[in-house]
Amino acid sequence: MRAVSSSLFYNSPKPKFNHLSNPVRNPVIRCIYTRNPCFNSCFSVKPTSITPFSCSAVTSHHPGSDNLATAEAATGTGTATEARLHLLIQEFESLLEPVDRVKRLLQYGNLLPPFEQSLKFTENRVPGCTAQVWLHVSLGNDNKVRFLADSDSEITKGFCACLVWLLDGAEPGEVLALKTEDLEAINVMGLNGKRVSSMKSRANTWHNVLVSLQKRTKALVAEREGRPRGEPFPSLIVDADGIQAKGSYAEAQGRTTMQRRVRNCFPDSQAVLGQDCNEGQRFLSLKIIGTVGLSKDEIKKLSVACSLSQTGIEQKVITKGHMDKDHTVAAVYRAVACIYTSIVMVFMAYANGIVSAQGKPPLFSFGVISDVQYADIPDGRSFLGVPRYYRHSLLMLQRAVQKWNEQKPKFVINFGDIIDGFCPKDQSLSAIKKVIDEFNVFDGPVYHMIGNHCLYNLPREKLLQMLNIPSIDGLAYYDFSPIPEYRIVVLDGYDISAIGWPKDHEKTLKALNFLRERNPNSDKNSPNGLVGLERRFLMFNGAVGKEQLEWLDHVLQDATNSNQKVVVCCHLPLDPGAATKEALLWNYDEVMYVIHQYNCVKACLAGHDHKGGHSVDSHGIHHRVLEAALECPPGTDAFGCVNLFDDRLQLSGADRMESQEMVFSC
Ligand SMILES: Nc1ccn([C@@H]2O[C@H](COP(=O)(O)OP(=O)(O)OC[C@H](O)CO)[C@@H](O)[C@H]2O)c(=O)n1
């Protein structure tokens, strides 16, 4: 046993951790204007050249206001939106210096109506923007579109403010009629009327926010009229020359696609097509890797199209540095188009050697899912207001198992929290059985770990028995070696915990004492007043105890001797870079100290922090926190398949579980 540090559960000196010095985000942006909307002294334009409504434009959100009357009077005819647009353009054109136009935007951004924190969930994010942009759209009984917007970028807030002023309260038709080009005339994205490349992302912001607003408006109108919300897929072709996107939404999508490099998502996740290469095969083929929102009939047609596409493609060998896009893309496109013309094909092809890189099959694969938190109760929200879909998560698990049975991974790992704390306690047993039954449909072994929500429902002993977790003294850590080259280590993050053990158990008392010393709040789930990494000292977290740390050390020594690579799994995240501080294992630093003594651990996977995350720590180890199943809106998924290679781990995720390739450091 090597010397192990310990601030918490060990007795040796505290280790030094480089990753504790993560850069602190500094969101402060210096304001260059006052809150007074008519403050113009810093603008190089004469005050008289500002239109009558300019300074109060974005504070007036209801059609028919004085400002609108002024606007309509000024322009004569046209819709209210056209009138407003006209005046907005006039206003920005009257600002002679680009810097003044930017200042005006900043000023308007400051006047945006507040956007509730609880509305900042994934579905309200505008895709494709460099900054974070949120948009909440609704359709009133008066058939007027109402929307709120916000961003973490001050300039983007300014764009949003202009859009809100232009379109909030407009008829759907007016919203849909506005074009990005119309907004370009406002001319804040270019200098002296000319676009420059560094300003392109601002033009894209206008564009992305507007397109998102229009898509959601269309969806809301369709829903009101009893039609399906979806749209045909936009066209996006990625070939040897890069992205050939038809339409701006596809452009935004294309940028994301290029970043991810692994899979190709349609907006709204209606279907996902990806490239597939068999061992030694240098041909490209397409396969469906996600079909959310498609009917059985559509899936069937798409499958036929994909099979045909393979026939077309296999005529052409894709060689390193060369891809015949005319033949390859066209063959696929034609094949698909003639079978199912209503689906606009998205084709992703990687040239220049990527084919051979991905052509190698994985050494083995395993399925992953986390935080199912099933309960037979209506949808709700987390403490912080994030929607939770307790019943849907079971349906999602069913889809996951069905997918795994098609993909045939060697085993599945459940990262804990399979039932929710809100499950009525007289239903805990039946609920957990229901979830286990679904896991049992998987045609292979399922390895479980326990999470805090499991422990809210049932005592540890019962859980271990039901989940078939190998255990000594009620502890739930274990390891196994699916192939000689790899070892999987599963940690018990609630070894020292104030939940799950009997009330008078030594571990409960130790945990309570530990929390008492570090968290002054009477509600020990509350991080109020705790600073930085101290925020992890919460009742819903726990720690790895001394014996388990020693066991881990021993296992890693053994893996090193056997030349094995190790993947460590734990319900609680082990690196502050990959998770919120409130989600971390209490003594993540002690665990990582042990891990860092060796070179065998390549990745640490976790759950618990529902939004998911990824980091690479100071020793080059990947940390990936998996997105929660529970927070998937109906019809969407968050599960995946992990493919292990000699030099990397590839997570292929469905929908909300982001796919990722993690290349190991030496
Ligand atoms: N600030 C908070 C947060 C939570 N609680 C209460 O603690 C219990 C568990 O919270 P919950 O969000 O359900 O826990 P999960 O395991 O699903 O998620 C963990 C987090 O995502 C980690 O970041 C529950 O009773 C909450 O109400 C609290 O009091 N104060």
Side-chain angles (χ1 to χ4, degrees):
M1 170 75 198
R2 284 162 190 262
V4 178
S5 84
S6 121
S7 46
L8 309 172
F9 301 98
Y10 247 59
N11 302 321
S12 47
K14 188 173 172 51
K16 289 185 176 62
F17 295 106
N18 297 340
H19 57 272
L20 293 185
S21 56
N22 277 340
V24 177
R25 230 184 82 206
N26 182 3
V28 178
I29 297 172
R30 201 164 65 89
C31 287
I32 56 171
Y33 54 89
T34 71
R35 269 237 156 237
N36 176 355
C38 284
F39 174 74
N40 289 309
S41 59
C42 60
F43 293 86
S44 62
V45 67
K46 288 180 196 154
T48 49
S49 68
I50 295 181
T51 53
F53 74 93
S54 64
C55 290
S56 56
V58 293
T59 59
S60 171
H61 299 285
H62 47 92
S65 69
D66 289 348
N67 288 332
L68 182 56
T70 314
E72 281 168 330
T75 54
T77 56
T79 63
T81 305
E82 283 165 356
R84 285 169 185 231
L85 180 65
H86 179 77
L87 286 178
L88 201 58
I89 290 169
Q90 267 190 352
E91 176 179 359
F92 276 90
E93 280 179 350
S94 73
L95 298 168
L96 304 179
E97 295 299 322
V99 67
D100 291 338
R101 293 195 288 270
V102 171
K103 281 176 184 171
R104 183 60 57 89
L105 272 184
L106 292 173
Q107 183 187 18
Y108 283 171
N110 211 26
L111 298 173
L112 254 184
F115 193 101
E116 263 180 52
Q117 197 61 27
S118 63
L119 293 176
K120 290 187 178 174
F121 44 85
T122 315
E123 289 69 41
N124 275 351
R125 276 284 300 278
V126 175
C129 295
T130 319
Q132 297 205 72
V133 190
W134 290 273
L135 188 63
H136 186 71
V137 189
S138 57
L139 186 61
N141 288 335
D142 55 357
N143 200 37
K144 300 277 164 66
V145 181
R146 312 302 317 211
F147 76 103
L148 293 165
D150 197 10
S151 174
D152 59 358
S153 144
E154 296 291 307
I155 292 189
T156 306
K157 276 177 88 164
F159 292 140
C160 292
C162 292
L163 278 177
V164 168
W165 186 76
L166 279 173
L167 292 174
D168 179 46
E171 304 268 349
E174 281 180 74
V175 173
L176 299 180
L178 192 67
K179 297 192 178 63
T180 314
E181 300 86 89
D182 301 335
L183 298 168
E184 275 178 19
I186 293 171
N187 199 26
V188 280
M189 73 286 281
L191 297 173
N192 300 325
K194 286 183 202 138
R195 272 201 194 199
V196 289
S197 60
S198 62
M199 298 292 183
K200 266 191 179 164
S201 69
R202 291 185 189 162
N204 285 333
T205 304
W206 274 121
H207 178 78
N208 294 337
V209 178
L210 180 62
V211 171
S212 259
L213 173 63
Q214 292 177 329
K215 273 179 73 74
R216 293 187 211 177
T217 302
K218 273 192 214 168
L220 288 167
V221 171
E223 192 172 56
R224 177 159 295 175
E225 292 172 357
R227 291 182 286 112
R229 285 174 66 111
E231 285 187 336
F233 307 131
S235 177
L236 172 65
I237 297 175
V238 185
D239 63 20
D241 292 338
I243 297 173
Q244 320 283 323
K246 290 185 188 149
S248 47
Y249 202 96
E251 262 173 40
Q253 206 57 34
R255 281 192 297 278
T256 320
T257 303
M258 283 306 267
Q259 280 159 18
R260 288 189 187 166
R261 289 206 142 223
V262 178
R263 67 175 190 167
N264 202 352
C265 290
F266 290 88
D268 294 339
S269 300
Q270 287 174 325
V272 181
L273 295 183
Q275 105 188 38
D276 188 24
C277 286
N278 298 323
E279 189 182 12
Q281 188 188 347
R282 296 171 74 199
F283 309 133
L284 283 176
S285 60
L286 296 179
K287 72 171 182 179
I288 307 170
I289 55 177
T291 53
V292 173
L294 291 180
S295 68
K296 273 191 180 161
D297 192 37
E298 284 168 326
I299 294 167
K300 207 167 142 192
K301 285 174 180 169
L302 197 55
S303 309
V304 176
C306 285
S307 323
L308 281 192
S309 78
Q310 290 175 16
T311 322
I313 278 172
E314 284 174 10
Q315 313 298 321
K316 274 280 156 193
V317 177
I318 313 294
T319 55
K320 195 171 168 64
H322 167 74
M323 188 176 100
D324 187 336
K325 80 176 161 84
D326 290 341
H327 287 84
T328 313
V329 176
V332 177
Y333 193 85
R334 269 200 313 274
V336 174
C338 71
I339 294 290
Y340 191 46
T341 46
S342 66
I343 293 177
V344 182
M345 182 67 183
V346 172
F347 173 50
M348 179 175 177
Y350 295 129
N352 301 341
I354 292 178
V355 169
S356 53
Q358 293 195 341
K360 221 171 155 189
L363 297 171
F364 70 102
S365 306
F366 61 92
V368 289
I369 192 163
S370 191
D371 301 271
V372 172
Q373 286 180 228
Y374 166 70
D376 189 10
I377 55 173
D379 296 342
R381 285 177 187 272
S382 74
F383 186 83
L384 297 174
V386 181
R388 292 183 165 183
Y389 306 93
Y390 302 104
R391 289 186 178 123
H392 171 255
S393 63
L394 193 71
L395 302 177
M396 215 216 76
L397 175 62
Q398 287 168 355
R399 289 196 291 272
V401 171
Q402 192 187 349
K403 190 76 205 170
W404 292 326
N405 278 339
E406 286 161 29
Q407 293 173 326
K408 305 201 183 310
K410 211 171 173 71
F411 55 92
V412 161
I413 302 187
N414 152 38
F415 280 76
D417 276 359
I418 56 176
I419 43 172
D420 193 88
F422 281 130
C423 176
K425 296 301 157 282
D426 58 343
Q427 293 174 24
S428 293
L429 262 182
S430 60
I432 199 166
K433 272 188 190 142
K434 229 171 171 172
V435 184
I436 292 171
D437 284 350
E438 294 303 339
F439 273 112
N440 285 343
V441 177
F442 173 64
D443 194 12
V446 180
Y447 295 91
H448 296 275
M449 54 195 95
I450 47 178
N452 49 315
H453 280 269
C454 308
L455 295 167
Y456 298 145
N457 280 277
L458 292 168
R460 181 170 261 275
E461 282 297 338
K462 186 73 191 162
L463 286 166
L464 293 173
Q465 176 230 319
M466 292 186 79
L467 296 169
N468 208 14
I469 297 179
S471 161
I472 301 172
D473 294 336
L475 283 161
Y477 57 85
Y478 55 96
D479 71 312
F480 58 99
S481 183
I483 60 166
E485 297 89 336
Y486 265 95
R487 193 180 290 220
I488 308 287
V489 170
V490 177
L491 297 179
D492 183 349
Y494 293 93
D495 172 346
I496 311 286
S497 161
I499 43 179
W501 296 103
K503 277 196 169 55
D504 55 352
H505 195 284
E506 176 203 358
K507 292 198 187 246
T508 313
L509 301 176
K510 192 169 184 174
L512 285 173
N513 199 33
F514 175 83
L515 278 175
R516 213 170 291 125
E517 284 171 9
R518 286 163 181 80
N519 184 335
N521 298 308
S522 55
D523 172 5
K524 300 292 181 214
N525 273 328
S526 167
N528 283 350
L530 298 178
V531 178
L533 287 163
E534 288 175 359
R535 294 178 72 82
R536 70 188 189 277
F537 298 132
L538 302 172
M539 180 104 127
F540 58 64
N541 296 328
V544 164
K546 183 172 182 291
E547 290 75 19
Q548 192 180 164
L549 280 171
E550 285 171 355
W551 166 84
L552 174 65
D553 186 76
H554 175 80
V555 168
L556 298 186
Q557 181 66 67
D558 196 47
T560 303
N561 297 344
S562 312
N563 206 16
Q564 288 176 322
K565 295 186 175 69
V566 178
V567 175
V568 172
C569 304
C570 182
H571 179 67
L572 298 170
L574 301 175
D575 186 67
T580 49
K581 297 174 183 66
E582 290 83 348
L584 290 166
L585 183 84
W586 290 342
N587 63 337
Y588 76 88
D589 48 355
E590 289 184 325
V591 171
M592 289 316 300
Y593 180 81
V594 175
I595 289 176
H596 286 160
Q597 302 307 304
Y598 302 93
N599 196 26
C600 55
V601 176
K602 301 298 169 192
C604 298
L605 306 178
H608 193 52
D609 193 17
H610 294 191
K611 67 182 182 341
H614 172 254
S615 64
V616 181
D617 73 18
S618 56
H619 288 61
I621 298 173
H622 288 271
H623 293 258
R624 180 69 168 86
V625 179
L626 302 173
E627 292 82 355
L630 171 74
E631 284 167 14
C632 291
T636 63
D637 292 328
F639 61 85
C641 194
V642 171
N643 299 314
L644 265 311
F645 298 83
D646 190 43
D647 60 344
R648 72 205 140 98
L649 178 157
Q650 186 194 54
L651 169 62
S652 173
D655 291 347
R656 292 165 64 99
M657 187 172 288
E658 188 153 352
S659 295
Q660 203 160 17
E661 189 155 60
M662 296 167 234
V663 178
F664 303 152
S665 66
C666 299

